[in-house]
Amino acid sequence: MRNICVIFRKQVIDTLKNKTILIQFLMFPVLVIIMENAVKIENMPEHFFVKLFAVMFIGMAPLTCMSAIISEEKEKKTLRVLLMSNVKSAEYLIGVGSYVFIMCAAGTVIFAIVGSYSGVELAQFIMVMSVGIVLSELTGAVIGILSKNQMTAAGVAVPVMMIFSFLPMLSMFNETIKNVARITYSQQISDIINNIGVSGITAENIIVITVNFAAAVALFTAAYIKQFSAINRV
Amino acid sequence: MRKLNGSIKTSKISKSFSGKTVLKSIDLDIKNGEIFGLLGPSGAGKTTLIRILTGQLSPDSGNAFIGGTDIRKITGRERRCFGITMDDFGVYERLNCYDNLKIFAGIYGLSKANIKNALKKVGLSNAEKTAAGKLSKGMTGRLKLARAFMTDPDILFLDEPTSGLDPAAAAEIHKMILEEKRHGKTVFLTTHIMTEAEKLCDNIALLNDGKIVEYGKPKEICRKFNDKKTLKIHLTDGRDIEIPLDKNSAETVAELISTGKAETMHTTEPDLETVFMEITGKELFA
Ligand SMILES: Nc1ncnc2c1ncn2[C@@H]1O[C@H](COP(=O)(O)OP(=O)(O)O)[C@@H](O)[C@H]1O
Ligand SMILES: [Mg+2]
């Protein structure tokens, strides 16, 4: 537990100095405040930007942050120093993961306030956002764990992040894209968020998210076993 | 924390990377509390051996024991008794020196005073608030040493601790290493600087192409290769003469001294640098 706290604290201290990570956490929460207050178009659905940016936020921030943090520590070999100091790889990942989760949860709170969610709808919104954050974190962790350095990690993380964060937006305008996007958790989360207060969660929502989750856990486990079984792969 | 006996014993350690043999049957016997130097040119396999001993890499064959324990059985907890600095071990560049050490103080349960002490010991007290990424190469090296020393390890593995440093900075590090020895630590260091080894090490091994070509006390190795056995005398008139070191020369030498003609005298014992070249036909800085 102590080691997890140490890693968590390290990330907190690093945040203000790490602009690329900081931007990820702040961009969409700030953007949603601006757009919701500045842009008023007739016939625009209520809280359009909240629903749009919330999904982009969870598709982007947890994924890129996890992969950037882990791959940087692999490249600089600070992760190896930690492991040589008897920090367990699980402790490290939980430390970084809980930090990213809390930062993204803070962003989620901003979305919730701007979207004026309350009661059951608020609970539903926070829940589905949390699931999205965890799924994106797992995906980002897999990329970070398997990459040798930040360059290769970014090379994989950017396209993957684009799929998860932009497909739900593009599918608003194009049925074909929507049919493809349906298999991603971010599209399903987008559907749930858009239906909050209108209709409930569908079976499709649950099934697709569950399958995505199972796949992410499987990938994560495989990557974890592959890279952390020998210290020289870290 | 459990104290580890700092003895290191290896027997027939070999390692290859994709068919290329990097270490060939390495035998070492290092006593608790000694400073051992592994010398050799770049690419000789020094770093690879440290990686094996510290559990970052497994050997293809052979055995190694630290404090009597097979390195394959050394647990993460016991590895905490190692203080390791390696070239590629990074620091948290955006964090300042203090925060860098604080991470490891947190892991090892050390106090703020421990961190301050460690920074003082390596002369980084004034750089406490400087981001590690802004330090010079020498200062980064010292921060890494502080990180390795702070935890009061029983064995220090220092991979080229002075490489790239100016002589003054290197001398500082030599002082620190000797200080650790005084506290009973075993030090395993690698270097390609022969004078450094001569100055610091109780025992050295010369590594060339993955094989140990000489092993022993630096002085003894040099003496062994002193095949010329002559005395070099610089005369007051500017000439240099070399005379054999035997009975028959006694009179000549005595006369040169008594008449005040001799300015300086040296034995022609080779230094490690020369010995190394003689054995391998290679220069250390190739
Ligand atoms: N992980 C690795 N994969 C392949 N070759 C390696 C690896 N590590 C070291 N080598 C090779 O092993 C040889 C010895 O390297 P090293 O131990 O770093 O030497 P030194 O530290 O004495 O300079 C070099 O030729 C190097 O290229
Ligand atoms: Mg080396």
Side-chain angles (χ1 to χ4, degrees), chain A:
Chain A
M1 189 62 203
R2 183 162 81 188
N3 290 346
I4 296 175
C5 294
V6 169
I7 302 298
F8 187 91
R9 201 170 340 113
K10 161 183 87 69
Q11 288 307 139
V12 172
I13 302 172
D14 195 50
T15 300
L16 289 175
K17 295 160 182 152
N18 193 347
K19 307 251 164 10
T20 43
I21 300 286
L22 196 60
I23 286 170
Q24 288 293 332
F25 290 141
L26 292 179
M27 183 168 63
F28 285 112
V30 169
L31 219 52
V32 80
I33 295 172
I34 296 170
M35 298 300 269
E36 281 286 327
N37 287 300
V39 182
K40 297 264 186 294
I41 304 169
E42 246 176 89
N43 293 331
M44 194 171 66
E46 202 192 5
H47 295 309
F48 173 76
F49 289 110
V50 172
K51 292 164 191 165
L52 178 65
F53 290 158
V55 175
M56 293 177 91
F57 177 62
I58 55 164
M60 204 179 279
L63 196 152
T64 44
C65 289
M66 286 302 281
S67 83
I69 293 170
I70 296 171
S71 61
E72 180 181 17
E73 292 226 44
K74 282 188 69 182
E75 178 176 336
K76 303 274 163 65
K77 290 241 166 52
T78 47
L79 179 52
R80 190 182 285 198
V81 181
L82 290 174
L83 298 185
M84 296 293 290
S85 308
N86 204 24
V87 173
K88 299 278 178 290
S89 40
E91 292 172 332
Y92 171 78
L93 291 170
I94 293 169
V96 173
S98 55
Y99 158 78
V100 172
F101 185 86
I102 285 176
M103 295 302 283
C104 292
T108 301
V109 170
I110 292 175
F111 279 105
I113 294 169
V114 176
S116 357
Y117 289 100
S118 65
V120 182
E121 295 178 5
L122 175 67
Q124 214 177 359
F125 180 73
I126 302 267
M127 258 292 284
V128 73
M129 287 291 278
S130 302
V131 170
I133 294 168
V134 171
L135 263 161
S136 286
E137 278 197 36
L138 282 171
T139 313
V142 170
I143 297 169
I145 291 171
L146 292 176
S147 306
K148 254 208 168 67
N149 54 43
Q150 296 177 83
M151 278 275 280
T152 44
V156 180
V158 169
V160 173
M161 165 275 276
M162 301 248 265
I163 290 171
F164 288 128
S165 57
F166 287 104
L167 276 193
M169 177 181 66
L170 298 175
S171 68
M172 283 193 279
F173 312 111
N174 184 312
E175 269 311 303
T176 326
I177 293 179
K178 177 151 193 161
N179 278 329
V180 178
R182 274 169 72 175
I183 61 166
T184 66
Y185 64 92
S186 56
Q187 177 65 57
Q188 296 299 332
I189 285 172
S190 174
D191 287 351
I192 296 175
I193 289 175
N194 278 302
N195 288 331
I196 286 178
V198 181
S199 61
I201 295 170
T202 65
E204 180 186 309
N205 294 151
I206 292 175
I207 291 167
V208 173
I209 290 175
T210 308
V211 171
N212 270 258
F213 201 87
V217 168
L219 276 174
F220 175 80
T221 310
Y224 182 86
I225 292 170
K226 176 167 182 280
Q227 293 304 123
F228 285 112
S229 56
I231 236 170
N232 62 321
R233 299 215 190 103
V234 176

Side-chain angles (χ1 to χ4, degrees), chain B residues 189-206:
Chain B
L189 64 86
T190 72
T191 179
H192 59 259
I193 306 163
M194 292 289 167
T195 47
E196 177 167 283
E198 279 174 316
K199 185 173 149 198
L200 290 178
C201 300
D202 300 303
N203 282 296
I204 57 163
L206 295 182

